[in-house]
Amino acid sequence: MSTKRRAAAASGAWHRPEDSTATANGIKTGKVEDKQAVSYTVTGSTFVPAFLVFVCPVFAMVFIRIIVEFDGDLLEFARVAARDGPLQILKTSVFPYVFGSRRACEFILPFAAFQLLLMRLVPGKTTRGPVTPAGNIPIYKANGLLSYFITLAVFCLCGFVFKIFNPAEVYDHYQEIIGTLNLFSLVFCLVISLKGKLLPSSTDSGASGNPIFDYYWGTELYPRILGWDVKMFTNCRFGMMSWGLFLLCYAAKQYQLGSLSDSMVVSVVLQLIYITKFFQWEMGYMKSLDIMHDRAGFMLCWGCMVWVPSVYTSHTLYLTTHPNDLGLPVSVAIIALGIFCIFFNYDADRQREQVRNTDGNCTVWGRKPEIIRATFHTSEGQERKSILLMSGWWGVSRHFHYVPEITAAFLWTIPALFSSPIPYFYVTFLVILLTHRAIRDDVRCAEKYGEFWNEYCKKVPYKIIPFIF
């Protein structure tokens, strides 16, 4: 074995047995455009990426201000906006927080550093991801669930037992935190965009020639910095992990303001169960189409580091100052239904993983699974195999698991009741997001599997809701 290949094996970052010219990171230095990843987009387009890059960060900060300063009163905000004009809204909602604050950094930086340490130090099983379009196989350490429990334990001990910091203070500095996350994430996306052009981590990289599109979409499929996987950090260990911690901070603030309501408890409990499910399934997520095809750019990285904290937690943020008394029977019913939906969402992913991991030698709903053994080709012409499952939840519709996911999100939002539409923005966004994801995933799979996908669609004709869509 050559020195380069020994270094590649030691890094544990990539596996590419057919590659005899791997660098010290186990990756070819050439650039191969990920055609499957971008063919369903308008490659090199400018308007939509530029619009989202400039509007979304502003929207996140204005949205949080409506909840925190306008008490979630959308009509009052609209009245003030009409009176003062858009420039004044920017001046009051964005400019004071656009550069963040030192106090916000004191919350964010230790959390980020702690997650990086957990990724490196917590033991976990070595797991291979799916083969990339250029023929690489990313290698991960599966330590997400243990890292999640360690994070919750350390947070609760430091915040509630030893009083090293006050979790309720996060709510008081929340606009500064979102501003700081915005600034850091926008710069970070620029860095990884340039890195993909100058120092790519793998052959799954390349540029469209349009810097705006490249910034939005990304230039690398699996960027790694000093051995840390960027997608795993931004999507899982920062975005999803911070989601759970923000919920606890909101609950602490509500308790500080008076008492902890059962509506807050219901919302937080269901979301923590969902996040626990996510980390139990983290390696499955790293094999999902989002990770396999979406590059690490503004859309993915900024979305997980800013959009998730600001939008995915917004209903519970609203509950902080709008407690509701649901009563024990209603609370128990909502939690029970929510757990039921979360389990079905997990079970669908589990079925697919089990079938693929056992090469179909298992049972789904008590029967041998009905599958299609599909083949596809990488961008370098290598033939690969995959399994399309047509049994269990995957025989009901092609993306039926989105139904319980949306229902669960509605159930942990409904404790906010209906005095404002603001808490339901997240559920509305989720419906749009998952519907769009189902459509684009079908396009990706049609490109990837060709006639095999056409056969699958004949057997499973509905995208999400049977007999409807």
Side-chain angles (χ1 to χ4, degrees):
M1 181 183 290
S2 68
T3 302
K4 289 182 178 180
R5 292 182 68 79
R6 282 196 298 270
S11 71
W14 296 90
H15 175 74
R16 190 172 182 176
E18 72 279 7
D19 182 3
S20 60
T21 59
T23 69
N25 288 320
I27 307 160
K28 281 185 177 179
T29 57
K31 296 180 179 180
V32 177
E33 184 63 36
D34 182 358
K35 296 180 178 61
Q36 289 182 342
V38 298
S39 59
Y40 72 96
T41 65
V42 183
T43 307
S45 63
T46 300
F47 175 74
V48 172
F51 176 80
L52 294 174
V53 166
F54 285 103
V55 170
C56 287
V58 173
F59 175 87
M61 299 180 72
V62 172
F63 184 63
I64 292 303
R65 182 170 181 244
I66 294 173
I67 299 175
V68 174
E69 295 187 16
F70 284 83
D71 204 32
D73 191 333
L74 193 58
L75 292 178
E76 175 62 17
F77 172 78
R79 187 187 66 79
V80 172
R83 182 194 67 197
D84 297 341
L87 289 180
Q88 183 64 22
I89 292 297
L90 289 177
K91 183 177 179 180
T92 55
S93 302
V94 177
F95 295 165
Y97 312 105
V98 70
F99 294 110
S101 71
R102 177 178 177 179
R103 187 56 178 150
C105 290
E106 291 172 352
F107 288 119
I108 296 169
L109 295 181
F111 166 73
F114 187 62
Q115 294 309 312
L116 289 172
L117 285 175
L118 292 180
M119 288 178 68
R120 185 64 57 86
L121 300 179
V122 173
K125 180 181 178 181
T126 299
T127 303
R128 293 185 180 185
V131 63
T132 70
N136 299 300
I137 302 176
I139 306 298
Y140 304 103
K141 183 192 287 187
N143 61 3
L145 188 62
L146 182 54
S147 297
Y148 171 66
F149 288 142
I150 291 173
T151 299
L152 288 181
V154 171
F155 179 87
C156 291
L157 286 173
C158 292
F160 301 118
V161 178
F162 298 116
K163 310 292 184 182
I164 296 175
F165 72 98
N166 180 9
E169 191 182 355
V170 169
Y171 179 91
D172 300 329
H173 295 275
Y174 196 63
Q175 292 183 86
E176 301 165 36
I177 290 173
I178 296 301
T180 304
L181 288 176
N182 246 332
L183 178 62
F184 172 79
S185 300
L186 292 172
V187 173
F188 180 74
C189 291
L190 177 61
V191 171
I192 60 175
S193 176
L194 294 175
K195 175 190 174 302
K197 296 177 182 179
L198 303 176
L199 295 169
S201 300
S202 77
T203 50
D204 292 280
S205 60
S208 70
N210 185 327
I212 295 178
F213 181 84
D214 290 339
Y215 179 82
Y216 168 79
W217 178 249
T219 54
E220 284 192 86
L221 186 60
Y222 288 109
R224 302 205 173 192
I225 299 175
L226 299 177
W228 277 285
D229 185 89
V230 170
K231 284 184 177 179
M232 177 176 280
F233 172 71
T234 58
N235 295 31
C236 305
R237 306 310 174 83
F238 197 99
M240 292 300 296
M241 201 76 75
S242 67
W243 182 353
L245 299 189
F246 278 124
L247 300 177
L248 296 176
C249 293
Y250 304 155
K253 182 62 179 181
Q254 189 184 79
Y255 180 77
Q256 184 187 75
L257 292 173
S259 62
L260 190 62
S261 67
D262 56 6
S263 55
M264 175 66 80
V265 171
V266 169
S267 183
V268 170
V269 166
L270 280 180
Q271 288 173 88
L272 289 179
I273 293 173
Y274 176 82
I275 297 168
T276 303
K277 183 274 300 183
F278 173 85
F279 283 107
Q280 167 65 28
W281 176 72
E282 184 183 41
M283 287 301 100
Y285 173 72
M286 299 307 294
K287 299 175 184 178
S288 67
L289 284 175
D290 283 353
I291 297 298
M292 290 167 57
H293 292 281
D294 288 343
R295 292 188 172 190
F298 173 87
M299 184 185 77
L300 203 64
C301 297
W302 179 90
C304 290
M305 300 181 76
V306 181
W307 193 257
V308 168
S310 59
V311 172
Y312 283 43
T313 73
S314 58
H315 39 281
T316 316
L317 178 69
Y318 175 85
L319 269 174
T320 305
T321 54
H322 297 82
N324 296 304
D325 183 14
L326 301 177
L328 184 60
V330 173
S331 297
V332 171
I334 293 175
I335 289 177
L337 286 173
I339 292 174
F340 184 76
C341 291
I342 293 168
F343 170 76
F344 279 165
N345 177 253
Y346 167 76
D347 193 50
D349 293 321
R350 182 197 61 80
Q351 286 179 355
R352 182 172 57 184
E353 282 297 298
Q354 182 184 28
V355 169
R356 289 181 174 175
N357 290 339
T358 62
D359 195 34
N361 296 314
C362 61
T363 59
V364 175
W365 288 357
R367 299 179 181 179
K368 186 174 179 60
E370 185 179 358
I371 62 175
I372 294 175
R373 295 188 181 276
T375 59
F376 63 96
H377 291 83
T378 69
S379 59
E380 294 185 340
Q382 299 164 345
E383 185 175 279
R384 301 287 180 176
K385 297 180 180 180
S386 185
I387 290 177
L388 304 178
L389 175 61
M390 299 181 293
S391 297
W393 300 111
W394 302 95
V396 177
S397 70
R398 300 196 291 273
H399 304 279
F400 184 76
H401 59 309
Y402 291 160
V403 174
E405 182 166 356
I406 292 170
T407 305
F410 176 77
L411 289 169
W412 67 57
T413 302
I414 203 171
L417 300 183
F418 302 101
S419 59
S420 170
I422 287 292
Y424 294 90
F425 175 78
Y426 163 68
V427 179
T428 304
F429 166 77
L430 190 64
V431 171
I432 297 171
L433 173 71
L434 295 183
T435 302
H436 176 257
R437 182 179 295 174
I439 294 171
R440 67 178 183 149
D441 284 356
D442 276 11
V443 173
R444 287 169 171 169
C445 289
E447 292 174 348
K448 181 176 182 179
Y449 297 117
E451 63 185 46
F452 298 104
W453 186 252
N454 293 333
E455 180 184 351
Y456 175 65
C457 290
K458 290 179 182 178
K459 297 289 184 65
V460 187
Y462 299 101
K463 284 185 174 67
I464 301 175
I465 304 175
F467 308 107
I468 298 177
F469 176 71

